[in-house]
Amino acid sequence: MAARVTRSDAAARREAANKAEASGDLTAAERLLRAALAVSPEDSSTTLALADFLARRRRFTEAEAYYQKLLNAFPREPALLNSIAVLRHMTGRREEAIGLWQRVHTVRPKVAGPLINIGLALRDMGDTAGAIAQFERALAIEPAAFEAHYNLGVTCYHGRRYEAAIASLEAALRLKPDHTRSAIMLAQASQAVCDWDRLDQMLPTLQAEAAKAAAGRACAVTPWFALRLPFDRATRKAIAASAARSYEDTATSQSARLGFSFAPTAKEKLTIGYLSSDFRNHPILQLTAGMYRRHDRNRFRIIGYPVGAPTVEARRILGDGCDAVVDLSKMSDIQAAQRIYADKADILVDLSVISEFIRPDIVAMRPAPVQVSWLNYAGTFSGRLYDYLIGDSVVTPPEHAADYLEAIARMPHSYQINNRDQALEAPPQRTVEGLPEGAFVFSCFCGGEKIERSVFARWMEVLRQCPSAVLWLFGESSMMQTNLRRAASLLGIDPTRLIFALRRPKPQHLGRIALADLHFDTGIYGAHTTGSDALWAGVPLVSLIGDAFPSRVGASLLYAVNLPELVVTDWDAYVRLAVDLAHDPPRLAVVRQQLSANRLTAPLFDTARSVRDLEALYERMWAARVSGAGQTPINL
């Protein structure tokens, strides 16, 4: 007689499944969970365990069927509502997730967790103010809620509310002193306000995390932050590989499950998809605004893919320039990948990669036969998510190829495209910007996170040798201003010689840049859009060429605008060049005249020429894919 099956058998199988999953045997774990469900089909605990397991594997469609069965039976169960909300959040259905978390909050109004989750969803949707409000509501309920303090700090950081970010992250660390991610976020916020003492104190922690990545382990330093730290190229590559691994190992398995397959053939017209989370008031949209409509429609079909809700201006630019615009912001990651695949995009160009509102799972599912990283992220990330990274011979020279996971596709001039249609408003009077009449004005409009202690000391040396000069900076925060004025005073420079600019709409900002005489580049992470903005406004840029992509962009811009004499190779030469130009008005006038003549003739601001070069790269990428050549460097 067969043994009678009981609920305890199901519980034993669930326990065994948990152990199998913990040991990494996912096949056994799933088999055991399904066996447990077969033993007791109506056991809600087993159904929930299987649903959660599938959700962790990103098998969301399968998971949701089990969750829905449970929801029909237990429509007010908070833990179940939360699990379903997490799934919908992970699949991009954030408004549905928010609705479910609101239901949980109704059931448990004295618990902070649902409000924290609503805040996270709003942050992912780009609603920074709404997210902050939810985290603050959560803290009103639970003042010691670590997750609320931490996420409030992260959100304030991304919203450039650095003082508030620092206060929240300090509160998080008081609750959990060993929480590495809080410490690293505090380091990022400290860097943004030029608190170099605190950043130096945290450097051992950052280096220890980087060592984990070099050893093939998980690392809490993000690839984006690593670009702004004194790490070598190999270390940055290891950090990127560590961050990319979870996407590579989990989401790429979805591609086969979704049935994505490709048999590339030669084509007369290629479909290019431009994917970005930055179709908003962001440098990426500003740089590419003139590109879309200049593509050759006889050879290319262009689709814009916003993954975050695009602004009205972005919709106009994309609508005018693309053959189609497909808003992915309200789709799940799987739905977004399926749509790109259905559109038969031949080459998917990710303009954002690792940025504030990233959705890497879309790219990880490989919805296009060729995938490319370009423009926003100045480093390597993944050779499995991206076949190519677009660079040039300056930012990504052949001798650096080993430090990139992707193959390098090099533009013949600068990798950075620019929009020669950008409006330049007439410059205001100097007094409007608080600049003294008659003074020589050095400028640098980068964020505080790019200003290093050593570079600032060089700027102060220039001011020491140019006693009538001032330094015009972008005033991100009052804390940054205080820290820089204190640093200037400690170096013997009158802090009133530092003048801080307020944020302005882009046309006004471009117009006022012309009030400056000479623009300073920074060091580890140099001028990118800020550098090309200065050059477009007619202000020469002094740049030191560094040893990695982020510190070589200024040189790339200057070579592409035919001003190589403004590129130096050491900091003493940097100071000498800045001082010499300030002391020699006729020489500086010649440089400015050269820049004025080159702006509309040199490659840097020749948008149509850059588009033709991009198209040549795309055709070479496609030819390599058709021939089966694999990821091989491309040089135009």
Side-chain angles (χ1 to χ4, degrees):
M1 184 174 180
R4 185 178 179 184
V5 174
T6 67
R7 283 184 179 270
S8 61
D9 296 302
R13 286 181 170 87
R14 288 200 306 271
E15 181 65 26
N18 289 338
K19 291 179 180 178
E21 183 178 8
S23 69
D25 191 348
L26 303 181
T27 301
E30 182 174 353
R31 185 178 66 250
L32 286 161
L33 286 171
R34 292 192 182 279
L37 195 60
V39 164
S40 185
E42 301 306 316
D43 183 359
S44 59
S45 296
T46 301
T47 304
L48 182 60
L50 179 57
D52 287 345
F53 174 85
L54 293 170
R56 287 193 293 274
R57 308 280 78 74
R58 289 185 167 88
R59 292 163 58 181
F60 300 122
T61 302
E62 297 171 75
E64 189 150 14
Y66 291 106
Y67 283 135
Q68 189 60 51
K69 177 182 176 181
L70 291 168
L71 187 62
N72 294 338
F74 308 100
R76 288 175 57 83
E77 172 56 42
L80 174 60
L81 291 171
N82 183 70
S83 290
I84 299 172
V86 170
L87 180 144
R88 292 184 182 172
H89 182 218
M90 292 177 69
T91 55
R93 296 148 63 190
R94 296 182 178 89
E95 291 177 350
E96 295 178 31
I98 288 171
L100 287 166
W101 278 315
Q102 287 172 337
R103 287 169 63 181
V104 177
H105 178 60
T106 300
V107 176
R108 293 185 173 173
K110 299 299 184 182
V111 177
L115 297 177
I116 295 171
N117 288 331
I118 291 171
L120 291 171
L122 290 171
R123 185 174 76 194
D124 287 348
M125 294 166 68
D127 184 357
T128 299
I132 288 172
Q134 293 299 320
F135 298 136
E136 290 175 341
R137 285 182 67 196
L139 287 169
I141 294 171
E142 293 185 38
F146 165 80
E147 291 293 338
H149 284 292
Y150 171 71
N151 285 297
L152 179 58
V154 172
T155 307
C156 287
Y157 170 80
H158 287 303
R160 299 191 179 93
R161 295 173 53 175
Y162 298 122
E163 291 87 345
I166 289 169
S168 294
L169 292 165
E170 287 175 338
L173 282 166
R174 283 194 293 272
L175 293 166
K176 288 190 179 181
D178 296 328
H179 191 256
T180 305
R181 290 196 180 277
S182 292
I184 287 173
M185 281 305 306
L186 183 57
Q188 286 185 251
S190 300
Q191 186 183 59
V193 298
C194 302
D195 186 346
W196 301 315
D197 290 340
R198 174 174 260 170
L199 187 62
D200 287 346
Q201 292 168 6
M202 294 180 168
L203 195 56
T205 298
L206 300 172
Q207 291 168 330
E209 285 298 309
K212 292 180 184 178
R217 295 154 54 203
C219 168
V221 175
T222 65
W224 188 264
F225 189 27
L227 298 182
R228 289 165 169 76
L229 293 171
F231 293 160
D232 59 26
R233 297 190 304 273
T235 299
R236 291 172 179 172
K237 177 183 176 182
I239 290 170
S242 173
R245 198 167 294 124
S246 64
Y247 302 110
E248 295 171 339
D249 291 346
T250 56
T252 51
S253 65
Q254 290 281 11
S255 183
R257 188 173 291 109
L258 294 170
F260 294 169
S261 62
F262 308 100
T265 59
K267 292 185 173 185
E268 291 186 4
K269 181 181 284 192
L270 294 174
T271 296
I272 310 297
Y274 286 107
L275 181 82
S276 181
S277 63
D278 297 318
F279 289 134
R280 52 196 171 97
N281 184 20
H282 188 276
I284 294 304
L285 182 64
Q286 294 158 8
L287 291 171
T288 61
M291 172 185 73
Y292 307 102
R293 64 183 177 81
R294 285 182 167 92
H295 272 297
D296 182 351
R297 289 314 199 274
N298 293 318
R299 295 157 52 219
F300 298 93
R301 174 172 171 254
I302 305 301
I303 304 177
Y305 288 115
V307 299
T311 60
V312 172
E313 177 66 4
R315 288 182 184 278
R316 182 191 66 77
I317 291 168
L318 295 174
D320 290 346
C322 297
D323 296 289
V325 180
V326 181
D327 186 350
L328 306 179
S329 63
K330 295 188 184 303
M331 296 185 192
S332 70
D333 292 337
I334 289 176
Q335 289 170 333
Q338 288 174 320
R339 178 56 191 266
I340 294 168
Y341 180 76
D343 288 340
K344 294 181 168 47
D346 298 309
I347 300 176
L348 183 64
V349 183
D350 189 345
L351 298 172
S352 298
V353 190
I354 300 297
S355 66
E356 186 177 353
F357 302 112
I358 58 172
R359 292 175 62 185
D361 281 333
I362 297 173
V363 181
M365 284 181 263
R366 296 291 314 196
V370 177
Q371 300 190 163
V372 181
S373 165
W374 180 43
L375 204 56
N376 185 55
Y377 175 63
T380 190
F381 184 61
S382 168
R384 288 170 61 187
L385 272 62
Y386 302 100
D387 304 291
Y388 296 95
L389 178 147
I390 295 178
D392 61 50
S393 61
V394 179
V395 295
T396 52
E399 59 268 27
H400 294 182
D403 298 309
Y404 289 85
L405 296 158
E406 311 84 354
I408 307 298
R410 295 183 180 87
M411 293 279 277
H413 304 289
S414 181
Y415 83 102
Q416 188 192 89
I417 196 163
N418 278 278
N419 178 19
R420 76 185 298 153
D421 304 323
Q422 282 192 104
L424 274 171
E425 291 196 3
Q429 295 295 315
R430 278 192 165 189
T431 53
V432 172
E433 293 292 333
L435 298 170
E437 295 290 350
F440 190 95
V441 177
F442 292 102
S443 62
C444 181
F445 286 107
C446 68
E449 69 277 0
K450 294 186 181 182
I451 302 175
E452 304 158 53
R453 188 197 301 269
S454 60
V455 174
F456 186 78
R458 297 289 182 174
W459 293 349
M460 296 304 97
E461 177 58 29
V462 171
L463 292 189
R464 183 176 293 106
Q465 296 186 42
C466 302
S468 65
V470 297
L471 176 57
W472 193 19
L473 300 167
F474 184 62
E476 282 276 17
S477 72
S478 59
M479 189 177 287
M480 170 189 170
Q481 294 181 27
T482 298
N483 288 335
L484 289 180
R485 287 191 170 116
R486 183 185 301 116
S489 182
L490 290 173
L491 291 168
I493 300 298
D494 181 352
T496 63
R497 294 174 68 187
L498 273 58
I499 299 169
F500 292 93
L502 300 177
R503 192 173 292 276
R504 294 271 192 271
K506 189 64 181 284
Q508 293 180 21
H509 173 62
L510 289 172
R512 70 175 172 180
I513 292 174
L515 298 175
D517 295 291
L518 197 62
H519 199 82
F520 282 140
D521 200 355
T522 45
I524 291 173
Y525 198 109
H528 294 192
T529 308
T530 52
S532 52
D533 283 349
L535 295 170
W536 181 242
V539 179
L541 170 72
V542 174
S543 182
L544 182 144
I545 187 168
D547 63 355
F549 192 145
S551 59
R552 299 171 72 87
V553 173
S556 173
L557 302 177
L558 288 166
Y559 291 144
V561 80
N562 295 334
L563 287 173
E565 63 270 28
L566 297 182
V567 179
V568 298
T569 57
D570 65 77
W571 288 108
D572 289 342
Y574 180 102
V575 171
R576 284 197 304 273
L577 178 59
V579 171
D580 289 350
L581 288 170
H583 286 165
D584 192 344
R587 181 184 174 191
L588 179 59
V590 169
V591 172
R592 292 181 71 103
Q593 289 165 4
Q594 289 175 328
L595 175 56
S596 179
N598 294 350
R599 279 175 68 250
L600 298 180
T601 57
L604 183 62
F605 296 110
D606 189 339
T607 310
R609 180 175 184 170
S610 294
V611 171
R612 297 288 88 78
D613 291 336
L614 269 175
E615 291 173 343
L617 279 185
Y618 295 156
E619 288 175 332
R620 292 275 295 275
M621 291 174 186
W622 188 251
R625 183 70 170 86
V626 170
S627 70
Q631 292 173 287
T632 54
I634 298 173
N635 299 287
L636 291 186

